[in-house]
Amino acid sequence: STLKTGALRGTSGTADSIQLHASNQSVTFPGNVTFSGTVTGDNAGANITSVYKVTSDLTSVDQVTFGSLPSGIKKLWFVAESITHDSGNEPFRARIGDSGGLHTSGYASSAAYAGATNMGGAADVAAWNLGYASGGSGDTNSFFFEMAPVDSAGKKWVASWRLIQHSWTHVGFGGGFCALDTELTQIQFSNNSSSSDFASGSMALHYIK
């Protein structure tokens, strides 16, 4: 049978509402549900938004910057596959920034390699050092980088990453911290200097807010 009724109203107040029985605080909807208002509460969920910067050829580009990030990001990560660059022995780096620009100092970080000898930790205060890669098409790298804020203002960020060097017997990993002056608005992935450019690969930025 089908029950048809007007707006359901609670036992107190004048607002239209649905009042659940005290012993069973759950509702099951058999189909799609459309909300005209905002869903709130401890378990309201997160809005997952993705921004992509994907290319098969990064020739003559030594950095990729994702700007105009929205307010309220709770977690951010970017992934890259089959990245190569044309010369040198340059480390991959990540920098974050706010409305005043990218920060080039104040990073606390360390990185190391597992499975390789004579390759200990490497600190860097000018950026987060994601690991080294030799130049030329023979050295191919993929990585996973993620970070999250430790404050509600979105200024203090902790990061971690894993770098995979294809056909090698070791993996690079690391972590770090950086405090911005204002809320996060941008993040950059680059080589250590402009003397070496990316030659190939693809990458994507994702965030949850």
Side-chain angles (χ1 to χ4, degrees), residues 56-61 82-86 136-137 197-201:
S56 59
D57 187 357
L58 293 172
T59 303
S60 300
V61 176
S82 303
I83 295 287
T84 65
H85 60 276
D86 56 18
S137 60
D197 295 329
F198 297 120
S200 65

Side-chain angles (χ1 to χ4, degrees), residues 101-122:
L102 288 164
H103 278 225
T104 58
S105 63
Y107 293 86
S109 66
S110 60
Y113 289 91
T117 59
N118 300 321
M119 302 184 80

Side-chain angles (χ1 to χ4, degrees), residues 28-42:
T28 300
F29 297 99
N32 297 330
V33 179
T34 299
F35 296 95
S36 59
T38 301
V39 180
T40 61
D42 293 340

